[in-house]
Amino acid sequence: MRILVQTTCLANGELSALIAADAVAAQPGAIESEAAARLVAAGPLASSVELDLSGVSEWDSASISWVFRVQRAIQAAGRSCRIGGLPNDAAGLLELAGSVPERKGARRSEVSVPLLEGIGQQAVQLWSDLLEWCDFVGELLVSLSRALRGKARIPVRDIWVTMEECGPSALPIVTLISVLVGVILGFIGAQQLRQFGAEIYVANLVGIAMCREMGGIMAGIIMAGRTGAAFAAQLGTMQVNEEIDALKTFGFSPMEYLVVPRVMALIVMMPLLAVYADVLGMLGGALISSFALDISLLRYFEQLTSAVFLKDVALGVAKSCVFGILIAVSGCLYGMRCGRSASAVGIAVTSAVVAGIVAIVVSDAVFAVMCEVLKI
Amino acid sequence: MGADPEAHIVVDGLTMKYGDFLIQRDLSFSIRRGDIFIIMGGSGCGKSTLLKHLIGLNRPFAGRVLYGRQSFWDASLGEREALLRGMGILYQKGALWTSMTLAENVSMPIRQYTKRSEAEIRDIAEYKLALVGLAGFEEYYPSEISGGMQKRAGLARAMALDPEVLFFDEPSAGLDPVSSKLLDDLILELNESLGATIVVVTHELPSIFAIGKNSVFLDADTKTMIAFGPPKELLESSTDPKVIEFLTRGVGRNGAA
Ligand SMILES: Nc1ncnc2c1ncn2[C@@H]1O[C@H](COP(=O)(O)OP(=O)(O)O)[C@@H](O)[C@H]1O
Ligand SMILES: [Mg+2]
């Protein structure tokens, strides 16, 4: 929209503005806002402002909203603003827009927060998130112990269904990822070990790495993206549909009815998936050894049995149990505290996956330190 | 308050907030046993929020909700569960459990609270679905039926335990006029045949006058109740311009005549 503003100051301190605009020739907002700014700046100086719009040839929403904005700004400065020369229909629309006064406090503006305050707010937020986690885990433990003592009614069918969803259905992707991780580890390790003529130790490298670290972590990350996200989405949607409210009012504890079965299913399935990933990763290592490194399968497995001990596998399994709990908790927590809209479900899923992966990596670091101290 | 021997639910000085955000304050009224009680008011004035306080989903910021002489939030956990058991709730969006068929939805509460055999539970569920006109839809999932049918299935579930008091949140929202009329008839019938107290949140004028025996009007601006009484009497004798405007769709008492 091109807008021409011709202002005249009258002797009695009034400002008269003749405005010519061409709504059809839509122009970038620069001219428009410049003209508006000039008018608004001049407005408070004058005792009253008259906008003469007879020069405007055609109307659309953009031109009316422009006049509306200018009028509001001048009125906000405490000056009266008369408008003349409007065609009837446009005047009617303008009046309609101004007829209900703006609700006080309804308008929200972006408040820019100083850097330090922002950091502080984030820290406080992080702390309250952490407290919420603790709250949730505490409640979960109470419910779990009630369930194990047979005091809570747990929907057994849901446990089976969830186990099926997060176990067998995840096998293809876990297979693919762990074989490839085994191959990659073997390949990179062999390149380095060859310099010392110690290629055979590829078996040690792949075996130890898979059993102690990679099997659990890879399975965990896949589960966080697959199952953690699914948990958050399921519970979030139930929250949006008021299904969780309905559960509560029928006397079902959402914790016992929704969260406990999911956590139980994942506690059972995660170690199995981790062991499966360990085995396939070592097979991947065997593949690369026999095809690319001329180590016979027999030699590889002999070396493997002398390198990997039960404690390594046990450590991996123990870790994967913890990962399973963390994934299930983050999925369920973000699902349960989901807002009431469709976009809130999206946010809940994203937060659940991110929090799940962060929790896995952080707890893995804690495990690493503990193993170092305990010499495992 | 509380002196009325017929009072089923008494709201006493209730103030409701979400965080720091005041929704309604100083609500005091009572709901008689066996009445159809309407909670009305403009959109966003806090009707659903009041309902959530009545059914114990939200804790009052101040004031009490009494069932008979028992204050809901001062009661022990067991007493609260017993109170909850006597309530049936139809949510605004139906809130059926989407992972279960209609029959399973209705049988869940029965299985939770009674020791009936599976066959008996199944029979009751079928009967309740038939009551709301959904015979033959037992094995359907909520996503496979229309919005009006979901509402009715939600009603069947709300009635599963033969509650003493039924709560409806905007039962006719999103229904066509005929379905909405049928639902009103159903509510009237349930009220007569079961003798249950029924609390309905709605802003549909035809429903309000067709079924309401008593009502309370919540105002969004002053954030409190501004009228209490039978809707027809309010229409005839209220002096509050906001109430008259609402009950006559903004036409005014003379315009409506
Ligand atoms: N969970 C919530 N958290 C914060 N504010 C809410 C929540 N639910 C509703 N509100 C706000 O409370 C007010 C009343 O909502 P509600 O009781 O749903 O109104 P209605 O009368 O339309 O049913 C609205 O302004 C709404 O934005
Ligand atoms: Mg509502």
Side-chain angles (χ1 to χ4, degrees), chain B residues 120-180:
Chain B
E120 258 182 311
I121 292 176
R122 173 86 207 174
D123 283 348
I124 300 178
E126 274 177 21
Y127 159 70
K128 297 280 172 181
L129 282 169
L131 264 189
V132 296
L134 283 175
F137 286 93
E138 290 85 6
E139 296 310 320
Y140 280 59
Y141 282 91
S143 56
E144 298 169 337
I145 58 176
S146 74
M149 288 155 90
Q150 287 181 7
K151 280 265 168 73
R152 279 185 278 152
L155 180 54
R157 186 182 66 183
M159 296 189 312
L161 293 168
D162 300 319
E164 291 170 32
V165 47
L166 270 164
F167 295 91
F168 294 77
D169 196 354
E170 309 216 359
S172 41
L175 298 189
D176 62 88
V178 179
S179 313
S180 141

Side-chain angles (χ1 to χ4, degrees), chain A residues 1 3 21 23 56 58-68:
Chain A
M1 183 171 53
I3 295 181
V56 180
E58 276 184 65
W59 288 92
D60 64 1
S61 289
S63 31
I64 298 182
S65 64
W66 184 85
V67 175
F68 186 59

Side-chain angles (χ1 to χ4, degrees), chain A residues 103 153 157-158 238 240-253 257 340, chain B residues 52 55 57 84 89 91-93 95-98 100 104 108-109 111-113 157-158:
Chain A
R103 177 98 61 97
R153 271 188 172 225
R157 192 185 67 170
D158 281 15
M238 290 185 76
V240 172
N241 285 340
E242 302 178 311
E243 286 177 50
I244 293 187
D245 288 346
L247 277 177
K248 281 189 208 158
T249 44
F250 275 119
F252 297 96
S253 145
Y257 199 80
R340 300 270 171 174
Chain B
K52 284 189 181 146
I55 61 183
L57 276 179
L84 278 177
I89 298 126
Y91 288 87
Q92 195 162 351
K93 294 171 196 153
L96 293 168
W97 296 305
T98 41
M100 300 177 207
E104 286 170 330
M108 264 269 286
R111 197 170 297 131
Q112 167 86 349
Y113 283 111
R157 186 182 66 183

Side-chain angles (χ1 to χ4, degrees), chain A residues 242, chain B residues 42-49 92 169-170 201 203:
Chain A
E242 302 178 311
Chain B
S43 291
C45 68
K47 304 182 297 292
S48 298
T49 309
Q92 195 162 351
D169 196 354
E170 309 216 359
V201 167
H203 44 215

